[in-house]
C-alpha cells in the first residue's frame, strides 16, 4: 500500500484527538475554574530523516493542561474563594488523594470541617483538615481562616496554596487536576485570596470554537483524501489485471 495513505491516516488520527480535546474545551468554557487542554504533535520522517525528500508521519507529542488563570468574577457570595496571583488550593477526596483548584465554594460538613462543594476536604497549610466547628468564618487575603464568635475572632488555620509544575500535572477521570501523590510541592508566594469571587474558565470561547471548526474541516479533508487514494489504488489494480 502507498505510504501516502498511511501518512494521511496518521494525520486524520491526530485531528480526531485534537477535535476531542477542543470539544471538551468548548463544552467547559463556562465552567468556573476549568483549565483548557492543549495538544501538540511531532513529525516522524522516513528515508534518513530528510524533511524535504522523505515521507513524514504525524505522531502525538503531548496532551497537556493550560494552567494559566482565568478572569475573576465578583459574586458577592462569601462562600466563594478564588486565588488572585499564582498557586492552587489543595484538597483531598474521600480516599485521601490530593487534587488542586483555583476557585472554591466553601461549605462545612457535619463535623465542622471545611469542604468544597464537590465534597473534597480543603487542606490547611499544616497539611491537615481545617476545623471551624459551628462558628461562621471568613478568609483574609493571606488565606487565614478566621472564626467569628460574637465580637471575638480567632485564626483556625490557613489555606494551603501551592505551585504546580505544568509538566507534572494530569487530569483525573473526574476532571480535577492532580499530580503524583509523592511529588513534593512548593508553597505559592505571590498571591492573595479573594473572598466573594470565583475564577472563570481560561478558555477563550471564540478562539476555541474557531479551532474546533478548523479541526473538523481538516479531519474531513483527510478522510476524503484517504478515500481518493484508495480509489486510485483500486483503479490502478484493475488496470493491471
Amino acid at each position: 500500500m502507498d505510504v501516502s495513505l498511511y501518512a494521511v491516516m496518521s494525520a486524520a488520527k491526530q485531528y480526531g484527538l485534537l477535535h476531542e480535546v477542543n470539544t471538551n474545551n468548548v463544552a467547559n468554557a463556562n465552567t468556573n475554574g476549568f483549565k483548557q487542554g492543549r495538544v501538540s504533535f511531532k513529525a516522524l520522517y522516513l528515508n534518513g530523516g530528510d524533511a524535504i525528500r522523505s515521507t513524514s508521519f504525524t505522531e502525538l507529542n503531548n496532551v497537556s493542561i493550560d494552567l494559566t488563570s482565568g478572569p475573576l468574577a465578583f459574586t458577592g457570595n462569601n462562600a466563594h474563594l478564588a486565588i488572585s496571583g499564582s498557586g492552587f488550593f489543595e484538597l483531598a477526596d474521600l480516599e485521601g488523594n490530593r487534587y488542586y483548584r483555583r476557585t472554591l465554594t466553601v461549605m462545612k460538613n457535619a463535623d465542622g470541617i471545611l469542604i468544597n462543594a464537590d465534597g473534597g476536604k480543603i487542606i490547611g497549610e499544616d497539611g491537615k483538615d481545617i476545623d471551624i466547628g459551628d462558628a461562621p468564618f471568613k478568609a483574609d487575603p493571606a488565606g487565614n481562616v478566621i472564626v467569628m464568635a460574637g465580637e471575638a475572632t480567632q485564626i483556625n488555620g490557613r489555606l494551603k496554596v501551592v505551585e504546580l509544575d505544568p509538566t507534572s500535572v494530569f487530569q483525573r477521570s473526574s476532571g480535577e487536576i492532580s499530580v503524583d501523590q509523592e511529588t513534593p510541592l512548593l508553597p505559592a508566594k505571590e498571591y492573595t485570596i479573594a473572598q466573594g469571587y470565583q475564577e472563570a474558565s481560561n478558555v477563550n470561547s471564540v478562539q476555541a470554537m474557531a479551532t474546533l471548526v478548523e479541526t473538523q474541516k481538516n479531519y474531513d479533508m483527510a478522510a476524503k483524501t484517504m478515500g481518493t487514494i484508495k480509489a486510485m489504488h483500486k483503479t490502478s489494480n484493475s488496470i493491471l489485471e
Side-chain angles (χ1 to χ4, degrees):
M1 185 177 290
D2 193 330
V3 294
S4 61
L5 179 58
Y6 287 111
V8 176
M9 287 172 63
S10 72
K13 178 181 178 181
Q14 306 313 328
Y15 279 131
L17 176 58
L18 182 58
H19 187 272
E20 180 182 341
V21 172
N22 285 328
T23 298
N24 188 52
N25 288 341
V26 171
N28 287 282
N30 294 319
T31 301
N32 287 328
F34 177 79
K35 300 302 175 191
Q36 65 181 341
R38 293 188 180 279
V39 183
S40 62
F41 305 102
K42 60 184 178 182
L44 298 178
Y45 296 106
L46 304 181
N47 306 323
D50 188 328
I52 297 177
R53 291 175 297 179
S54 68
T55 301
S56 66
F57 293 80
T58 306
E59 183 179 67
L60 175 67
N61 182 49
N62 185 40
V63 178
S64 60
I65 303 173
D66 179 3
L67 297 182
T68 57
S69 60
L72 294 185
F74 178 70
T75 65
N77 184 344
N78 285 336
H80 292 160
L81 298 180
I83 296 173
S84 177
S86 66
F88 285 74
F89 296 113
E90 184 171 278
L91 301 95
D93 62 19
L94 295 176
E95 287 74 39
N97 298 312
R98 303 299 171 95
Y99 64 99
Y100 303 88
R101 297 179 56 90
R102 280 183 53 86
T103 189
L104 302 173
T105 298
V106 182
M107 309 167 67
K108 55 186 177 182
N109 64 18
D111 298 320
I113 305 297
L114 287 189
I115 62 173
N116 189 45
D118 62 2
K121 289 184 178 180
I122 300 169
I123 303 302
E125 190 176 49
D126 59 1
K128 300 178 180 178
D129 302 338
I130 301 176
D131 188 347
I132 64 168
D134 295 327
F137 76 97
K138 64 180 180 179
D140 69 13
N144 293 309
V145 177
I146 302 171
V147 174
M148 297 170 286
E151 304 210 356
T153 62
Q154 70 176 44
I155 296 176
N156 273 36
R158 186 179 183 188
L159 299 166
K160 186 174 184 179
V161 181
V162 298
E163 295 285 3
L164 297 182
D165 180 355
T167 63
S168 67
V169 301
F170 63 89
Q171 199 165 38
R172 308 197 312 176
S173 58
S174 62
E176 299 292 354
I177 295 172
S178 189
V179 299
D180 187 289
Q181 298 298 299
E182 302 301 321
T183 301
L185 300 175
L186 296 175
K189 295 181 179 179
E190 303 296 328
Y191 73 89
T192 58
I193 302 300
Q195 188 163 21
Y197 287 81
Q198 286 199 320
E199 182 182 284
S201 164
N202 66 352
V203 177
N204 181 317
S205 300
V206 175
Q207 184 179 37
M209 185 59 73
T211 302
L212 187 64
V213 172
E214 180 183 5
T215 302
Q216 183 64 54
K217 288 182 178 179
N218 289 336
Y219 179 83
D220 291 343
M221 184 179 298
K224 290 179 180 178
T225 302
M226 284 192 291
T228 300
I229 294 174
K230 289 180 180 179
M232 290 173 62
H233 286 167
K234 184 176 182 180
T235 301
S236 298
N237 292 334
S238 66
I239 293 175
L240 295 176
E241 291 177 353

